Amino acid sequence: MKKLIAIATLLVFGAVSTTFADTRVEIKDSDQARTEAQMRARSDHPQTQVIPNDQLRVVVTDDLIMRSCCMPPRLVVGGKITNVSGRPIDYVHLHFAFEDRNGKVLHGESLYNHHAESLSDDPWVQKTLNEKPHFDPIPPGQSDTFRFSVPCSELPVFSKVELFSNDIKQ
């Protein structure tokens, strides 16, 4: 019996050693690893969490920090909204809440869906463009887009971003 256990043990060790014999570990250059870590730290941020809504399906398609040589870094969040209700939606007012670890709102931003962007124009822009705020309704089952962009220098250090879409005009 002891010989049988010894032979089985040798066979198991032999199989395991041949399995791991071809395993390779890639060793990165410390400068390369440091550069990659710095890139992750610069572009890493809490991703936007969508708060569900019965009348609207919101999908975030872009959530990143854009960097350029010509301007400060910007947080860009874009996505698609779909009317899942049975009635047309005139417009959607989206709200972003930037919160700390305890859930306290540190900063807020808002915007309208793409086809209703003119609702956020101030009087000077309206006068310059010579047009009144307007919107194109979103029929049931149809979609529209949104894009939010704010300089990172205007944002506090935050732990969570929530996107609310509860301001819907039907």
Side-chain angles (χ1 to χ4, degrees), residues 67-101:
R67 299 189 183 281
S68 167
C69 64
C70 310
M71 56 193 306
R74 302 180 74 75
L75 174 62
V76 177
V77 179
K80 181 177 165 182
I81 56 175
T82 304
N83 180 356
V84 294
S85 73
R87 300 182 347 200
I89 293 176
D90 291 336
Y91 60 83
V92 180
H93 197 186
L94 301 160
H95 300 278
F96 288 86
F98 296 86
E99 302 175 4
D100 65 7
R101 292 178 191 211

Side-chain angles (χ1 to χ4, degrees), residues 16 32-33 43 45 59 75 93-94 155 164 167:
V16 168
Q32 178 188 3
S43 50
H45 64 283
V59 177
L75 174 62
H93 197 186
L94 301 160
L155 294 174
F164 298 91
D167 275 354

Side-chain angles (χ1 to χ4, degrees), residues 53 55-58 79-94 111-117 119 134-146 165 167-170:
N53 186 322
Q55 301 170 342
L56 202 63
R57 181 174 51 242
V58 179
K80 181 177 165 182
I81 56 175
T82 304
N83 180 356
V84 294
S85 73
R87 300 182 347 200
I89 293 176
D90 291 336
Y91 60 83
V92 180
H93 197 186
L94 301 160
L111 70 143
Y112 290 93
N113 58 297
H114 179 72
H115 289 143
E117 284 177 336
L119 295 177
H134 60 279
F135 52 84
D136 296 329
I138 307 168
Q142 296 297 309
S143 299
D144 195 8
T145 59
F146 67 90
S165 58
D167 275 354
I168 296 175
K169 174 73 170 144
Q170 286 186 315

Side-chain angles (χ1 to χ4, degrees), residues 12-132:
V12 168
F13 281 128
V16 168
S17 64
T18 58
T19 302
F20 289 117
D22 196 34
T23 303
R24 295 196 167 117
V25 177
E26 181 182 339
I27 299 174
K28 292 184 178 180
D29 176 37
S30 61
D31 289 335
Q32 178 188 3
R34 188 177 310 110
T35 303
E36 289 176 7
Q38 288 171 344
M39 288 298 288
R40 268 193 311 280
R42 282 197 318 229
S43 50
D44 193 23
H45 64 283
Q47 299 295 297
T48 303
Q49 298 175 15
V50 177
I51 305 303
N53 186 322
D54 296 352
Q55 301 170 342
L56 202 63
R57 181 174 51 242
V58 179
V59 177
V60 174
T61 56
D62 298 312
D63 191 347
L64 54 115
I65 296 178
M66 298 286 290
R67 299 189 183 281
S68 167
C69 64
C70 310
M71 56 193 306
R74 302 180 74 75
L75 174 62
V76 177
V77 179
K80 181 177 165 182
I81 56 175
T82 304
N83 180 356
V84 294
S85 73
R87 300 182 347 200
I89 293 176
D90 291 336
Y91 60 83
V92 180
H93 197 186
L94 301 160
H95 300 278
F96 288 86
F98 296 86
E99 302 175 4
D100 65 7
R101 292 178 191 211
N102 300 323
K104 179 183 173 194
V105 176
L106 304 171
H107 184 74
E109 293 281 337
S110 66
L111 70 143
Y112 290 93
N113 58 297
H114 179 72
H115 289 143
E117 284 177 336
S118 66
L119 295 177
S120 62
D121 289 346
D122 61 27
W124 182 83
V125 171
Q126 291 175 16
K127 184 178 178 183
T128 304
L129 297 176
N130 195 25
E131 66 177 38
K132 296 289 181 201

